[in-house]
Amino acid sequence: MLNLDRLRILHAIDAHGSVSAAADILHVTTSAISQQMGKLERETGQQLLVKNGRGVRLTDAGRLLSGHAERILSMVELAHADLEAHRGAAVGTLTIGAFPTAARGLLPRALATLRGDHPQLRPYLQEMEPGEAIPRVMRGDVDLAVVLDWYNKPLPLPDGLAKAPLLDDRVDVVVPVDHPVAGRAWVDLEELADDDWIAWPQGQFCCEWLLFTLRGKGVEPRVSHAADEHPTQMALVEAGLGVAVSPRLGRGPVPDGVRVVPVRDTMHRHVYAAWRTDADRRPSIRAAVRALGRAGQELVAAGT
């Protein structure tokens, strides 16, 4: 009899390329991974891993078993979903991954709704960027992800995921209080061609979008500073070190030395929930998507 937890470990090593990466994802030690793989090799009577430089790689038998493990784990997920659907109640633990501004601006409202409507459901929020959340949903480490893409730069979703739109998040420009456009009702991005920009770190999806959008307007951006968090970006803008874009969702207080100026050609982000299609029948997934959708509608109605 093959052990399900050991199959999960083998598949994680295959999916992530190393024992250490699998250990991080599964929240166990590398020594525990090695011990479990040794037991799995004894169960199967075949070598599943071989050393490859400083790491390991799967043997042909290991890749064969990993492919079966992926299907087995999917069937287990379907079984859980069917049992939960048969029970008809949203109960148990539901892990939700959400990007930072959604975790701050959307999830508290949605989680409060879930707690009131489904007291036996225990949602667990983890803050993470879409690039991390989507693979973790695919692997089954996260049940539901709140992710984003941009009106002019979609985020492709892999096969096997379903999604539901939650809201469109408007994006404005933020400038220092003494900037020439600070008192304007709107601004064209082309007018900021000579400004330094405060952006996200290079390689992040949002940074790529900003560069793509500015270049589409004929602006070659000079990025003077990069920061993950919007409050940090605002502080740099207040210090007169550049201009930035600022989504409205989860924005929080705007510093006294910063002015928010809408963009004439509206910019917005699409915010949506994503989950595995094999978990589609789970009442907890459906309840969470409803709560997130309701929270999104309330934010839109409030002008966020």
Side-chain angles (χ1 to χ4, degrees):
M1 181 69 69
L2 295 173
N3 181 280
L4 186 62
D5 289 334
R6 291 169 196 148
L7 290 177
R8 192 183 305 278
I9 291 171
L10 177 68
H11 184 253
I13 295 171
D14 191 15
H16 303 291
S18 71
V19 169
S20 59
D24 289 340
I25 291 298
L26 298 173
H27 306 293
V28 297
T29 64
T30 54
S31 62
I33 293 272
S34 298
Q35 290 173 9
Q36 292 301 312
M37 286 300 91
K39 291 179 179 179
L40 185 59
E41 287 184 331
R42 289 193 291 275
E43 287 174 351
T44 59
Q46 299 194 53
Q47 187 175 13
L48 304 175
L49 301 174
V50 293
K51 288 189 176 182
N52 183 32
R54 294 177 139 186
V56 298
R57 63 175 176 81
L58 272 66
T59 63
D60 289 344
R63 287 193 296 272
L64 177 66
L65 186 55
S66 177
H68 284 294
E70 183 175 13
R71 293 187 289 275
I72 290 168
L73 294 170
S74 179
M75 290 301 296
V76 170
E77 178 61 43
L78 280 171
H80 284 307
D82 284 346
L83 284 171
E84 191 175 325
H86 180 73
R87 185 166 43 192
V91 299
T93 301
L94 184 77
T95 303
I96 303 173
F99 63 94
T101 50
R104 183 167 61 248
L106 179 67
L107 267 296
R109 189 185 297 248
L111 293 175
T113 297
L114 276 177
R115 183 176 61 182
D117 293 347
H118 305 281
Q120 291 183 290
L121 180 63
R122 298 184 303 278
Y124 173 67
L125 171 64
Q126 291 181 278
E127 187 177 288
M128 62 185 70
E129 294 292 342
E132 178 186 2
I134 293 298
R136 294 187 67 177
V137 171
M138 290 294 296
R139 294 192 302 267
D141 303 325
V142 171
D143 297 305
L144 180 74
V146 178
V147 296
L148 66 93
D149 61 17
W150 296 88
Y151 69 102
N152 58 346
K153 195 172 179 64
L155 176 70
L157 280 184
D159 293 338
L161 291 188
K163 71 175 184 177
L166 302 178
L167 77 154
D168 282 349
D169 182 25
R170 291 279 299 273
V171 179
D172 304 307
V173 168
V174 289
V175 300
V177 67
D178 59 353
H179 193 280
V181 306
R184 296 262 298 275
W186 50 262
V187 66
D188 288 316
L189 289 178
E190 295 91 330
E191 298 180 71
L192 304 173
D194 295 328
D195 284 273
D196 290 334
W197 282 86
I198 314 297
W200 292 269
Q202 190 173 9
Q204 287 193 11
F205 182 62
C206 289
C207 180
E208 293 176 356
W209 164 80
L210 179 61
L211 300 181
F212 172 80
T213 301
L214 291 172
R215 287 166 179 160
K217 296 289 186 179
V219 177
E220 183 56 39
R222 298 193 310 270
V223 177
S224 58
H225 300 282
D228 280 302
E229 293 293 331
H230 293 292
T232 305
Q233 295 179 6
M234 289 272 198
L236 293 169
V237 171
E238 185 177 31
L241 299 173
V243 300
V245 295
S246 176
R248 297 184 183 183
L249 178 64
R251 178 181 288 168
V254 176
D256 292 338
V258 172
R259 293 293 179 268
V260 178
V261 186
V263 179
R264 179 161 63 170
D265 294 333
T266 303
M267 301 188 299
H268 58 270
R269 312 187 293 181
H270 304 298
V271 181
Y272 52 93
W275 64 95
R276 295 183 305 283
T277 53
D278 57 18
D280 200 51
R281 296 183 59 196
R282 290 179 59 186
S284 56
I285 294 285
R286 296 183 179 186
V289 172
R290 285 195 301 270
L292 288 164
R294 190 187 315 171
Q297 291 173 359
E298 292 170 355
L299 289 172
V300 171
T304 299

